[in-house]
């Protein structure tokens, strides 16, 4: 029978009304059938549904999300839908801005032509994956599960998909417990309830198959059945919320205090001799190997000083059993290989609870945000990064619109990011009209209090007041995060969400090292590489970035600052400060710029002096400076012989530069520039940086509540 596939209902099979009547089955009943794609096929059993139950819009959303992720050529079936470009001789989807996104959505809606009534059967793509027996490489999230990219391309390339009725009897098994496992996250209870309901809705699962179930954000896999069954096939498990259990992959760190580096090949050889109950197999890539038992398994990644063991599919009693066996193995390895192994506390990763909220409130920084640090600045990059935005309510407080409006009339840098904010809002609106998410832009109030200066923080308070009880605030403003925490409002720093949650682990470890000592950038890169290599031990872990990508991201987020020392570039943790230098300190700053092969940078001595002057930073933390230069300095630069000095400051690689215009009316250059500096510091809430000779100016500034420091 002629058949096609479903992305949004991956675990079920759908039949036409005539065939359902012929087979005399009801909706939700399990049936036995033969499914094939191309030359590959097998006999399966799965729940059956009427073909009219497929929601075409859900299929569109899944296809919309999938196509930009494909690394190979755009499949024939999608060729008329997408805007394409040639990259390394492959045609790939190219969506760079809101205009591309709108065209893509339009073509997807009006050029995609699939009439499910033309088919006898529609087979869930997860079932086709089982039937094709393809190796699970390069998994692609479909919004509703995960399947190999190769299978998606085969389906979209119109590979022959067939459904044949089977008269074979099949066995329905109702196990006492069915274990579903997360790959590397422990879910909060509300998400487990959602997944439990999804599992119960499906009802039946193929025995021996590796199903992947998702409610959109985090996938789980299973079921693993702890029951004795016969070898006859096909078989199908009946699962409901009463017999579902969940397990998170447990990470067990093992460190070596011995003199020699760990040799993975040698460890594998020893372990193979120690137990007939487990199979130990070396993997092709790197220092990886697996330890398997009939009912659970562990993936191991070896480093020179540690082993990272991820235990899967194990109930609590099995985990205790495995750790006991692992202790015996470590003792044997110490005796035979000369290691000094220590097993540390097992732990599980917590899922990012905040991102599971239904409502996201975006502050202005996030609307402006550069989501992808290595390529584009458009929110389109974030849409296809992970399925976080799908089916969410995105709320934009009116204060955000007000700030975008204000910024478009200010300095050139603010005009540019204001333009980007409008571009990103346009993309979100296109997604809202498509139905992919729900965008709510708050109505502007009928009246505005124009006496309230924007620097008072009223826009931020308005944003905080917009967060509902089932919502989360997304921001990269640390102070706004702190306010949200004080008010018990759910809030997430977008820094933690650019990549998978694993990045937080990398940053946390590197931050600990940098809090002890500043490190040369080469040594820090090596530390990052060593750490991520030791962590990436699960077969399904997301791919990590290169160390340089982490460093670039942390630098852009103002978490680190670089500086030159003894011919090398060092890295320190940082805190961001806006600084207004008086015109006398401009020369002092310029004299403390090192113009080396890695670019122009403020010296260690200057950063340390500024750290001491500011007076509220830990010993190992340096300030990340944004120099705000009153525009009067630029106009008067030639008169005070500071053209070259200002040019050098504007070209700094470890500090930022922008100019601000304030109105002053003073009879002399000195008083004009001093007043410009003080007024700029007052209007921006920044630090006024004075020379030691400007003691009187420092005192006067403090009298009008301007923070002033001297160097």
């Amino acid at each position: 029978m002629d058949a096609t596939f479903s992305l949004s209902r991956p675990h079920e099979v759908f039949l036409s009304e005539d065939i359902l009547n012929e087979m005399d089955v009801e909706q939700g009943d399990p049936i036995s059938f033969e499914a094939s794609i191309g030359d590959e096929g097998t006999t399966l059993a799965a729940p059956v549904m009427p073909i009219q139950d497929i929601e075409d819009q859900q299929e569109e959303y899944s296809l919309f999300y999938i196509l930009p992720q494909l690394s190979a050529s755009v499949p024939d079936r999608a060729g008329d839908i997408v805007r394409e470009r040639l990259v390394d001789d492959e045609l790939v989807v190219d969506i760079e801005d809101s205009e591309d996104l709108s065209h893509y959505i339009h073509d997807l809606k009006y050029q995609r032509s699939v009439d499910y009534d033309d088919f006898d059967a529609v087979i869930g793509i997860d079932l086709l994956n089982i039937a094709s027996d393809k190796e699970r490489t390069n998994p692609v999230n479909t919004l509703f599960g995960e399947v190999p990219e190769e299978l998606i391309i085969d389906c979209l390339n119109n590979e022959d998909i067939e459904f044949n009725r089977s008269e074979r009897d099949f066995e329905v098994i109702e196990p006492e417990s069915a274990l579903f496992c997360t790959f590397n996250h422990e879910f909060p209870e509300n998400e487990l309830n959602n997944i439990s309901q999804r599992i119960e809705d499906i009802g039946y699962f193929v025995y021996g198959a590796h199903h992947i179930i998702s409610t959109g954000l985090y996938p789980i896999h299973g079921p693993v059945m702890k029951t004795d069954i016969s070898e006859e096939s096909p078989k199908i498990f009946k699962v409901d919320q009463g017999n579902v259990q969940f397990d998170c992959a447990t990470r067990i760190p093992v460190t070596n205090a011995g003199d020699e580096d760990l040799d993975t090949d040698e460890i594998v050889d020893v372990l193979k001799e120690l137990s007939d109950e487990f199979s130990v197999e070396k993997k092709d890539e790197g220092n990886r190997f697996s330890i398997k038992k009939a009912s659970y398994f562990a993936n191991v990644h070896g480093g020179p000083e540690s082993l990272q063991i991820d235990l899967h599919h194990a109930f609590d009693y099995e985990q205790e059993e495995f750790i006991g066996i692992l202790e015996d193995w470590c003792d044997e390895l110490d005796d035979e290989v000369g290691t000094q192994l220590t097993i540390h506390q097992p732990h599980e990763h917590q899922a990012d609870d905040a991102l599971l909220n239904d409502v996201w409130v975006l502050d202005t920084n996030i609307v402006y945000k550069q989501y992808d640090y290595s390529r584009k600045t458009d929110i389109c990059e974030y849409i296809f990064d992970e399925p976080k935005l799908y089916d969410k309510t995105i709320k934009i407080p009116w204060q955000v619109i007000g700030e975008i409006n204000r910024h478009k009339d200010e300095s050139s840098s603010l005009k540019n990011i204001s333009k980007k904010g409008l571009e990103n809002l346009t993309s979100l609106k296109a997604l809202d009209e498509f139905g992919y998410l729900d965008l709510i832009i708050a109505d502007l109030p009928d009246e505005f209090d124009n006496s309230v200066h924007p620097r008072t923080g009223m826009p931020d308070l308005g944003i905080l007041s917009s967060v509902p009880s089932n919502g989360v605030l997304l921001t990269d403003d640390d102070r706004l995060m702190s306010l949200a925490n004080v008010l018990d409002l759910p809030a997430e720093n977008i820094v933690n969400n650019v990549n998978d949650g694993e990045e937080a682990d990398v940053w946390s470890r590197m931050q600990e090292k940098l809090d002890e000592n500043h490190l040369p950038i080469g040594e820090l890169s090596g530390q990052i590489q060593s750490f991520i290599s030791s962590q990436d031990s699960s077969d399904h872990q997301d791919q990590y970035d290169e160390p340089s990508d982490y460093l670039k991201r942390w630098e852009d987020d103002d978490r680190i600052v670089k500086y030159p020392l003894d011919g090398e570039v060092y890295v320190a943790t940082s805190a961001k400060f806006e600084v207004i230098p008086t015109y006398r300190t401009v020369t002092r700053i310029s004299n403390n710029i090192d113009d080396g092969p890695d670019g122009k940078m403020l010296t260690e001595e200057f950063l340390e002096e500024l750290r001491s002057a500011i007076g509220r930073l830990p010993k190992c933390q340096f300030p990340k400076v944004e120099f705000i230069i009153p525009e009067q300095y630029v106009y008067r630069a030639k008169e005070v012989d500071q053209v070259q000095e200002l040019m050098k400051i504007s070209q700094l690689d470890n500090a930022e530069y922008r100019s601000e215009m304030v109105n002053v009316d003073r009879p002399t250059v000195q008083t004009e520039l001093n007043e410009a500096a003080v007024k700029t510091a007052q209007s921006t809430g920044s630090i006024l940086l004075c020379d030691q000779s400007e003691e009187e100016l420092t005192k006067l500034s403090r009298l009008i509540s301007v923070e002033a420091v001297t160097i």
Side-chain angles (χ1 to χ4, degrees):
M1 297 181 188
D2 194 21
T4 187
F5 65 97
S6 170
L7 293 165
S8 67
R9 303 288 288 273
H11 313 291
E12 297 144 305
V13 61
F14 299 81
L15 300 178
S16 66
E17 185 176 353
D18 290 342
I19 296 176
L20 284 173
N21 291 334
E22 286 179 27
M23 297 181 68
D24 191 26
V25 291
E26 299 290 334
Q27 175 175 327
D29 288 346
I31 63 168
S32 175
F33 62 96
E34 292 180 0
S36 63
I37 176 167
D39 297 329
E40 300 171 324
T42 191
T43 302
L44 300 174
V48 66
M49 308 294 287
I51 214 164
Q52 294 81 5
D53 272 17
I54 298 177
E55 296 183 29
D56 191 62
Q57 195 169 41
Q58 301 296 315
E59 297 291 319
E60 282 184 359
Y61 294 153
S62 187
L63 191 60
F64 164 84
Y65 181 69
I66 285 172
L67 291 177
Q69 299 182 66
L70 300 182
S71 59
S73 290
V74 175
D76 295 340
R77 182 172 167 182
D80 293 333
I81 295 174
V82 299
R83 299 290 194 254
E84 303 167 346
R85 65 188 174 102
L86 197 63
V87 176
D88 296 332
D89 298 325
E90 298 282 2
L91 286 170
V92 298
V93 179
D94 184 27
I95 301 174
E96 293 188 349
D97 52 32
S98 62
E99 184 178 1
D100 287 340
L101 181 65
S102 295
H103 284 308
Y104 176 42
I105 292 172
H106 177 275
D107 293 346
L108 187 68
K109 291 175 67 175
Y110 296 106
Q111 294 191 33
R112 174 178 174 266
S113 56
V114 179
D115 189 347
Y116 294 106
D117 290 335
D118 293 340
F119 296 92
D120 299 310
V122 179
I123 305 171
I125 197 166
D126 189 66
L127 296 173
L128 285 174
N129 187 44
I130 297 167
S132 67
D133 197 30
K134 279 186 176 289
E135 184 180 354
R136 285 184 179 273
T137 59
N138 197 19
V140 172
N141 194 308
T142 67
L143 297 180
F144 305 98
E146 286 191 352
V147 290
E149 181 182 70
E150 306 96 296
L151 177 63
I152 292 173
I153 291 173
D154 286 347
C155 289
L156 291 173
N157 273 329
N158 294 314
E159 289 284 339
D160 292 334
I161 300 174
E162 292 191 4
F163 169 90
N164 292 300
R165 284 179 288 180
S166 172
E167 301 301 328
R168 296 179 62 182
D169 292 332
F170 59 92
E171 183 181 0
V172 177
I173 301 167
E174 297 188 37
E176 292 183 5
S177 59
L179 185 68
F180 287 83
C181 303
T182 69
F183 286 106
N184 56 0
H185 293 288
E186 184 178 10
F187 290 162
E189 185 174 354
N190 64 327
E191 182 66 5
L192 290 180
N193 291 336
N194 293 336
I195 295 174
S196 294
Q197 185 60 57
R198 174 72 178 132
I199 291 169
E200 186 171 86
D201 291 342
I202 298 168
Y204 296 91
F205 294 89
V206 177
Y207 165 66
H210 186 79
H211 297 274
I212 297 186
I213 301 103
S214 173
T215 57
L217 188 57
Y218 299 114
I220 64 169
H221 59 107
V224 180
M225 306 297 177
K226 307 295 183 176
T227 184
D228 293 327
I229 59 174
S230 65
E231 292 300 321
E232 297 176 4
S233 62
K235 303 178 197 62
I236 187 170
F237 288 116
K238 187 176 189 305
V239 179
D240 57 40
Q241 291 193 50
N243 61 6
V244 170
Q245 294 190 37
F246 294 99
D247 177 61
C248 172
T250 301
R251 178 157 294 169
I252 307 170
V254 179
T255 57
N256 175 39
D259 295 331
E260 300 294 330
D261 288 348
L262 294 177
D263 185 328
T264 305
D265 292 329
E266 190 174 21
I267 291 172
V268 169
D269 290 340
V270 172
L271 294 184
K272 283 182 176 180
E273 299 294 326
L274 290 178
S275 177
D276 296 331
E277 194 177 357
F278 292 85
S279 65
V280 182
E281 297 179 4
K282 183 77 163 60
K283 298 188 178 183
D284 293 335
E285 66 276 14
N287 296 318
R288 300 170 182 266
F289 62 94
S290 63
I291 303 171
K292 295 182 179 180
K293 194 179 177 181
S295 58
Y296 60 84
F297 68 94
N299 291 316
V300 186
H301 186 282
E305 299 178 352
S306 66
L307 300 173
Q308 292 293 343
I309 302 172
D310 279 359
L311 182 63
H312 295 266
H313 295 182
F315 285 112
D316 290 344
Y317 73 89
E318 291 173 316
Q319 178 176 315
E320 292 177 9
E321 171 192 85
F322 179 76
I323 291 176
I325 294 170
L326 186 61
E327 290 172 348
D328 294 337
W329 287 349
C330 288
D331 291 340
E332 292 287 343
L333 286 166
D334 289 349
D335 293 339
E336 295 195 27
V337 182
T339 57
Q340 296 180 33
L341 298 177
T342 301
I343 301 174
H344 296 273
Q345 183 68 30
H347 63 276
E348 299 173 341
H349 291 289
Q350 295 291 326
D352 198 343
D353 295 13
L355 295 180
L356 300 173
N357 283 285
D358 295 328
V359 181
W360 292 10
V361 179
L362 306 190
D363 83 340
T364 315
N365 288 341
I366 300 309
V367 175
Y368 288 168
K369 187 69 180 176
Q370 178 175 329
Y371 288 97
D372 188 302
Y373 291 84
S374 59
R375 291 179 290 169
K376 308 178 185 74
T377 62
D378 196 82
I379 202 170
C380 294
E381 288 296 329
Y382 190 64
I383 296 167
F384 303 108
D385 176 45
E386 290 185 23
K388 295 172 180 175
L389 285 177
Y390 172 66
D391 205 28
K392 298 291 185 184
T393 296
I394 307 298
K395 190 172 180 181
I396 310 293
W398 69 262
Q399 289 86 352
V400 170
I401 305 301
E403 288 196 285
I404 292 174
N405 179 66
R406 178 168 60 84
H407 290 164
K408 70 179 175 57
D409 297 322
E410 296 196 6
S411 65
S412 58
S413 62
L414 287 174
K415 284 180 182 178
N416 290 335
I417 63 172
S418 175
K419 182 179 179 181
K420 174 52 60 183
L422 291 171
E423 171 77 14
N424 284 338
L425 286 178
T426 303
S427 294
L428 288 172
K429 190 167 182 60
L431 291 173
D432 172 69
E433 292 170 352
F434 183 37
Y436 189 81
L437 52 77
D438 186 17
L439 177 66
I440 299 175
I441 299 179
D443 293 335
L444 298 178
D446 294 332
E447 295 182 2
F448 290 90
D449 182 0
N450 292 320
S451 66
V452 177
H453 194 278
R455 296 288 177 185
T456 61
M458 290 301 291
D460 282 350
L461 295 180
I463 291 169
L464 289 172
S465 70
S466 300
V467 182
S469 58
N470 65 334
V472 58
L473 170 70
L474 293 190
T475 180
D476 68 350
D477 184 333
D478 290 336
R479 294 179 182 178
L480 193 57
M481 275 283 296
S482 298
L483 279 174
N485 293 333
V486 168
L487 296 171
D488 292 326
L489 293 174
E492 272 297 309
N493 193 316
I494 195 66
V495 166
N496 296 327
N497 301 318
V498 174
N499 284 347
D500 192 71
E502 293 288 346
E503 178 173 348
D505 292 342
V506 182
W507 167 246
S508 178
R509 181 60 61 88
M510 296 307 113
Q511 186 181 26
E512 289 177 6
K513 294 181 180 296
L514 291 172
D515 284 344
E516 295 175 1
N517 293 291
H518 300 173
L519 295 175
I521 196 167
E523 182 179 338
L524 182 60
S525 296
Q527 297 270 10
I528 295 171
Q529 185 61 60
S530 176
F531 181 75
I532 62 179
S533 296
S534 70
Q535 295 295 296
D536 188 13
S537 56
S538 170
D539 278 349
H540 188 78
Q541 293 246 2
D542 291 339
Q543 292 297 312
Y544 286 92
D545 293 335
E546 294 296 321
S548 58
D549 295 323
Y550 282 100
L551 292 170
K552 178 67 166 65
R553 191 145 54 236
W554 298 341
E555 189 175 8
D556 288 344
D557 292 334
D558 302 321
R559 286 188 272 177
I560 60 171
V561 62
K562 300 184 295 186
Y563 64 86
L565 181 65
D566 298 332
E568 292 189 83
V569 174
Y570 276 69
V571 177
T573 58
S574 65
K576 181 73 173 288
F577 290 94
E578 293 181 344
V579 172
I580 318 292
T582 63
Y583 82 96
R584 286 189 178 182
T585 57
V586 166
T587 301
R588 177 81 179 277
I589 295 167
S590 175
N591 291 338
N592 280 276
I593 294 176
D594 182 276
D595 191 359
D598 296 296
K600 293 182 174 66
M601 295 191 209
L602 295 170
T603 63
E604 180 199 26
E605 292 82 3
F606 181 82
L607 291 174
E608 173 58 33
E609 186 176 9
L610 187 57
R611 184 196 70 80
S612 299
I614 293 171
R616 53 180 180 268
L617 291 175
K619 185 176 180 180
C620 272
Q621 193 172 63
F622 274 171
K624 180 72 173 287
V625 183
E626 180 178 16
F627 289 114
I628 302 177
I629 304 298
E631 289 187 9
Q632 282 82 357
Y633 288 20
V634 180
Y635 304 143
R636 297 284 195 174
K638 191 171 183 181
E639 295 179 51
V640 294
D641 197 23
Q642 287 190 342
V643 175
Q644 294 303 318
E645 283 82 353
L646 290 175
M647 285 293 296
K648 285 176 67 176
I649 294 173
S650 70
Q651 295 167 357
L652 280 167
D653 288 323
N654 64 346
E656 298 174 18
Y657 173 100
R658 66 181 172 94
S659 60
E660 288 278 345
M661 183 64 186
V662 292
N663 294 320
V664 295
D665 185 17
R666 289 291 174 176
T668 67
V669 172
Q670 178 177 341
T671 53
E672 175 191 343
L673 298 185
N674 283 344
E675 183 178 345
V678 173
K679 281 192 171 182
T680 304
Q682 188 177 39
S683 65
T684 60
S686 306
I687 296 172
L688 181 67
L689 185 63
C690 302
D691 186 81
Q692 287 182 348
S693 63
E694 298 175 306
E695 183 178 355
E696 183 177 347
L697 180 61
T698 304
K699 292 179 179 178
L700 289 173
S701 299
R702 291 170 179 167
L703 288 176
I704 56 172
S705 301
V706 170
E707 182 179 4
V709 299
T710 60
I711 59 171

